[in-house]
Amino acid sequence: MGEIQVLTGQLQIVPALIGGFMLIVGLCSMVTKERLYLSETLLATVYGIIVGPHVLNWMDPEGWSSNSLQLTQEFSRYALAIEVMIAGVCLPKRYVAKEWVSLSMLLLPIMSIMWLVSAAVVKFIFQTSYLHALAIGACVAPTDPVLANAILKGMFAESHVPLRLRNILTAESGANDGLGYPFLFFALYLMRFSAGQAIGTWVYATWVYQILLSVVIGSVAGYVARKSLRYAENAGWVDKESFLSSSITLALLLVGVCTLLGTDDILCCFAAGNSLTWDDWFRIEIEDTGLQETLNIMLSTSFFIYFGAIMPWQDFTSANMLHPWRVAVAIILVMLFRRLPVIMLAYKLIPAVRTWQDALFAGWFGPIGVSAVFYAVETIKQIDEHPDIRA
């Protein structure tokens, strides 16, 4: 008679913890979202803290890999890539071309001000150098597409937020994630090189190679995918399941290609999503399936459980200027001044934001989440790889 074997390793416990959480929260999702106004991501973060190594110690991501920072970056990379692909696919026909004025305002002057304000808060509260503050400010400047999707989807958003406003905020969150690179590398290059060399490297290595090349690759890949899918569907070659998952598989392909080339995979995926649904055919074909929303919930919930579990509470000490009161004050100042004042002042220059009520919502809306984690790890990685950075 064989022995009964009970396995209690992380490989067995973690799926049970994540699956159990999703099931229980899913059973009362209408209550938490529509009555209590609590998002799955907030609940997932709290849950991750509770089951993580600092409380119950049922889940310890630090032991999953010899390089936990790389694991965190890759997890956040794929989460962002899939989310910005979903954001691009969900936009209406030729949306980026039609709303180029609004997007240009949000992605260039307003995002630049968000970066500088965030850097000023970091400089003032944590007493860092100017370049360090600019690097940290770049991490929190983009609006996070994972949290944006959680906020802009659902009955409450559809009932209270105009579609035009939801669309422009979705487009902004998808595009400005990839545009975090120029702000980050502006500071990092100034730490490594003289001013002239830093600006030159920043222009050709960041704007041309990372940004422009990624947009070209994404646009071409999305166009080819759209034409191929349409031909395959008309010819009866593709089944419904493969058709519905094509945008996600395209995102995975582009992440791999762009990582190999060293270009901006996040922006590439957003460009590909826009190109894939440029004529609205693909978006209309998948909009009633619920696949995108389901994947968004699973992906965001999993990441924020992981994020809660890896919170470095031991680092919040006065020894490294991360005393809890400093962190709390910085969070409040960033929430109040990073985005809201500039949107309220400039909303008349943004055609998609028509009223002061729209501006108030768009200004307060500026979630910081997965993208901040991704850029923070990228900053640490760049410092580790380049000893000449004056960290």
Side-chain angles (χ1 to χ4, degrees):
M1 185 174 178
E3 294 181 357
I4 297 176
Q5 187 176 12
V6 178
L7 301 177
T8 58
Q10 290 280 294
L11 194 61
Q12 291 76 37
I13 293 175
V14 171
L17 292 173
I18 295 176
F21 174 83
M22 289 184 181
L23 182 61
I24 293 170
V25 171
L27 289 173
C28 54
S29 56
M30 287 294 290
V31 175
T32 56
K33 288 190 287 188
E34 307 298 336
R35 297 181 189 176
L36 301 177
Y37 305 114
L38 297 174
S39 68
E40 291 100 341
T41 52
L42 174 61
L43 296 173
T45 303
V46 174
Y47 179 74
I49 294 170
I50 293 171
V51 301
H54 298 288
V55 183
L56 297 178
N57 197 26
W58 292 349
M59 174 178 169
D60 186 8
E62 293 289 334
W64 297 356
S65 170
S66 58
N67 190 337
S68 58
L69 278 177
Q70 184 178 11
L71 175 63
T72 301
Q73 185 176 38
E74 295 308 312
F75 195 173
S76 58
R77 182 195 306 278
Y78 282 95
L80 287 171
I82 293 171
E83 291 291 347
V84 298
M85 175 65 76
I86 292 174
V89 166
C90 288
L91 293 173
K93 182 178 182 179
R94 294 178 172 83
Y95 185 81
V96 173
K98 292 177 181 177
E99 294 290 348
W100 70 271
V101 175
S102 296
L103 280 172
S104 297
M105 280 297 299
L106 289 167
L107 296 176
L108 295 173
I110 289 179
M111 189 176 175
S112 298
I113 292 171
M114 289 166 61
W115 169 47
L116 294 174
V117 169
S118 302
V121 170
V122 171
K123 170 65 179 171
F124 172 71
I125 298 297
F126 299 106
Q127 301 297 304
T128 66
S129 69
Y130 288 104
L131 290 180
H132 290 175
L134 287 173
I136 297 170
C139 297
V140 299
T143 54
D144 185 63
V146 179
L147 293 175
N149 276 336
I151 297 168
L152 297 174
K153 304 292 183 183
M155 290 175 57
F156 185 85
E158 292 171 4
S159 301
H160 296 86
V161 184
L163 179 61
R164 58 180 167 74
L165 193 56
R166 281 186 277 134
N167 282 337
I168 193 64
L169 293 175
T170 297
E172 181 200 9
S173 67
N176 73 4
D177 250 52
L179 288 174
Y181 275 105
F183 299 103
L184 175 62
F185 279 91
F186 180 81
L188 292 178
Y189 286 147
L190 284 174
M191 293 181 201
R192 291 180 61 191
F193 308 123
S194 63
Q197 186 180 0
I199 297 299
T201 306
W202 182 63
V203 170
Y204 77 78
T206 304
W207 281 105
V208 176
Y209 190 77
Q210 287 194 320
I211 302 300
L212 184 60
L213 180 60
S214 68
V215 171
V216 172
I217 293 173
S219 300
V220 172
Y223 174 83
V224 172
R226 169 160 47 93
K227 294 296 184 181
S228 301
L229 279 170
R230 195 152 203 170
Y231 182 86
E233 189 190 41
N234 291 336
W237 290 355
V238 59
D239 60 24
K240 192 67 174 177
E241 293 77 12
S242 299
F243 181 86
L244 293 175
S245 64
S246 56
S247 61
I248 308 305
T249 53
L250 178 61
L252 298 178
L253 169 65
L254 291 175
V255 169
V257 171
C258 290
T259 303
L260 288 171
L261 294 176
T263 190
D264 188 343
D265 43 4
I266 310 301
L267 186 58
C268 181
C269 287
F270 179 70
N274 273 280
S275 183
L276 180 58
T277 189
W278 192 250
D279 60 2
D280 235 13
W281 168 74
F282 186 78
R283 182 184 70 86
I284 292 171
E285 289 289 319
I286 67 169
E287 74 176 338
D288 294 326
T289 62
L291 175 66
Q292 314 277 18
E293 292 79 4
T294 302
L295 185 62
N296 173 52
I297 290 173
M298 295 182 66
L299 195 61
S300 60
T301 302
S302 299
F303 182 86
F304 280 96
I305 292 174
Y306 173 83
F307 175 69
I310 64 170
M311 282 268 203
W313 298 106
Q314 67 279 2
D315 293 337
F316 291 94
T317 64
S318 56
N320 52 11
M321 298 295 287
L322 286 177
H323 195 279
W325 76 264
R326 291 181 184 272
V327 175
V329 172
I331 290 171
I332 293 170
L333 291 177
V334 167
M335 288 178 62
L336 291 176
F337 298 110
R338 162 178 165 263
R339 181 177 172 88
L340 182 59
V342 66
I343 294 285
M344 292 299 295
L345 290 172
Y347 79 90
K348 291 184 178 180
L349 302 176
I350 310 171
V353 182
R354 297 177 185 173
T355 67
W356 70 265
Q357 293 94 334
D358 287 353
L360 187 62
F361 180 83
W364 185 250
F365 175 91
I368 300 170
V370 181
S371 58
V373 175
F374 175 79
Y375 283 116
V377 178
E378 179 66 24
T379 304
I380 296 170
K381 179 179 140 185
Q382 290 294 322
I383 292 172
D384 290 341
E385 290 180 356
H386 301 283
D388 53 339
I389 289 181
R390 299 185 296 275

